[in-house]
């Protein structure tokens, strides 16, 4: 097919995200690209085996990555729309790393390979629908006694290299991040409490009623399954309170993910296999063959 004649228009929003729209001369959008600023993630935050989640995230040797969401309407695919959107994103991103999650075996997966993106990892996207959660049962999980710990909650904005303890000492405010942590009993966040475990959710694009969960993360020396279930249940409950429009929570897991028992206990179910690709900073994507351009 011949290339489609389009204009690329760019806008921003209050979250620091940038959006591009590929628009036909008649004004109809045929594709979009959304670039979200770096968010906390398993590769840019304390790992489950970290000595303490209160320490800064320094496990990854690479800088935090901005997340790219790119979509082209089926009728406009293989006509250069996706390639031009990706080029526009790269031109503005400069030296920042970009990552993109795509469903394995789809047109988006093939698009990433053709453009020279590097496969970082494969995993499963797990989803919890609020309609499937028995809220009374959830409340019982959250209210169960854990004598050695107590829950702390926080909302606001977080940076990729965040310290959980520092966030808990900061007053809650508006933002797209919701944090629940289990701290050692007898201490308070203001006193520099030991954070034994935490779970974090980041609310996505306002046009999509969902949130992405990071964690639970449990420090070495604590009951991983018990605290993982507890903090995850409390996060699901608290997220419902502060973001009632949210309909589902998603997370990505690996094959032997230590979080799986806690997530499955709450009702998370695998919905698809996903691939995460990276465009390293300073890397220009290869030019795809003309007959395969999207």
């Amino acid at each position: 097919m011949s290339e489609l004649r389009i204009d690329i228009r760019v806008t921003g929003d209050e979250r620091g995200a940038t959006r591009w729209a590929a628009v036909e001369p008649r004004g109809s959008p045929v594709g979009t690209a959304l670039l979200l600023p770096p968010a906390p993630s398993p590769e840019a935050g304390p790992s489950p085996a970290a000595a303490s989640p209160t320490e800064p995230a320094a496990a990854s040797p690479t800088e935090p990555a901005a997340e790219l969401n790119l979509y082209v309407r089926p009728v406009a695919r293989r006509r250069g729309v996706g390639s031009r959107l990706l080029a526009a994103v790269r031109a503005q991103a400069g030296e920042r790393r970009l990552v993109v999650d795509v469903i394995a075996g789809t047109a988006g997966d093939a698009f990433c390979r053709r453009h020279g993106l590097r496969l970082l990892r494969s995993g499963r996207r797990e989803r919890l629908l609020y309609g499937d959660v028995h809220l009374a049962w959830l409340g019982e999980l959250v209210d169960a006694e854990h004598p050695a710990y107590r829950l702390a909650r926080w909302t606001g904005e977080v940076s990729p290299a965040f310290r959980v303890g520092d966030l808990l000492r900061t007053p809650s405010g508006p933002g797209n991040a919701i944090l629940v942590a289990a701290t050692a009993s007898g201490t308070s966040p203001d006193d520099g409490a030991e954070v034994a475990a935490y779970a974090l959710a980041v609310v996505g694009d306002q046009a999509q009623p969902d949130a992405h969960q990071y964690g639970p993360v449990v420090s070495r020396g604590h009951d991983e399954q018990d605290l993982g279930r507890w903090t995850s249940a409390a996060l699901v409950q608290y997220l419902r309170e502060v973001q009632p429009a949210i309909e589902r929570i998603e997370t990505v897991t690996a094959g032997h993910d230590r979080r799986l028992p806690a997530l499955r206990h709450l009702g998370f179910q695998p919905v698809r296999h996903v691939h995460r690709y990276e465009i390293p900073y300073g890397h220009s994507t290869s030019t795809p063959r003309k007959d395969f351009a999207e």
Side-chain angles (χ1 to χ4, degrees), residues 17-50:
T18 306
R19 186 187 300 273
W20 291 259
V23 182
E24 288 185 298
R26 295 173 295 178
S28 301
V30 293
T32 59
L34 177 68
L35 186 62
L36 294 166
S41 72
E43 62 180 312
S47 69

Side-chain angles (χ1 to χ4, degrees), residues 10-252:
V10 60
T11 60
D13 67 20
E14 67 281 357
R15 297 170 301 155
T18 306
R19 186 187 300 273
W20 291 259
V23 182
E24 288 185 298
R26 295 173 295 178
S28 301
V30 293
T32 59
L34 177 68
L35 186 62
L36 294 166
S41 72
E43 62 180 312
S47 69
S52 170
T54 60
E55 293 305 308
S60 174
T62 57
E63 65 179 281
E67 185 171 341
L68 172 64
N69 295 326
L70 192 150
Y71 174 75
V72 177
R73 292 177 56 191
V75 295
R77 291 174 184 169
R78 298 176 181 255
R79 303 187 66 183
V81 176
S83 299
R84 287 191 57 187
L85 283 169
L86 182 59
V89 173
R90 288 296 303 134
Q92 183 155 332
E95 295 297 297
R96 283 186 291 173
R97 283 181 63 232
L98 305 181
V99 296
V100 56
D101 291 331
V102 297
I103 302 173
T106 62
D109 195 11
F111 176 85
C112 290
R113 294 196 304 271
R114 288 197 299 273
H115 283 75
L117 277 66
R118 183 167 68 92
L119 180 64
L120 287 179
R121 64 171 182 263
S122 299
R124 290 188 301 269
R125 187 172 295 276
E126 309 267 344
R127 177 181 296 163
L128 177 68
L129 299 175
Y130 268 107
D132 296 337
V133 178
H134 195 295
L135 297 181
W137 170 78
L138 184 68
E140 291 177 359
L141 288 178
V142 177
D143 294 338
E145 291 189 6
H146 294 75
Y149 308 96
R150 68 179 185 175
L151 285 176
R153 299 173 175 87
W154 178 89
T155 60
E157 297 285 347
V158 297
S159 65
F162 66 99
R163 292 174 181 258
V164 175
D166 290 345
L167 295 181
L168 295 177
R169 288 188 290 273
T170 304
S172 290
N176 67 338
I178 297 91
L179 170 70
V180 171
T183 64
S185 294
T187 61
S188 69
D190 292 338
D191 298 330
E194 177 192 359
V195 177
Y198 74 88
L200 177 79
V202 177
V203 177
D205 189 346
Q206 296 301 313
Q208 299 180 357
D210 59 8
H212 192 93
Q213 176 170 331
Y214 302 94
V217 175
V218 182
S219 292
R220 187 179 293 119
H222 296 274
D223 187 328
E224 184 169 356
Q225 296 308 320
D226 188 39
L227 292 185
R229 286 192 297 266
W230 192 34
T231 53
S232 290
L235 177 66
V236 172
Q237 183 188 65
Y238 188 44
L239 180 60
R240 187 64 159 180
E241 293 176 9
V242 298
Q243 296 280 356
I246 294 298
E247 297 178 359
R248 58 186 177 265
I249 306 174
E250 294 191 346
T251 191
V252 176

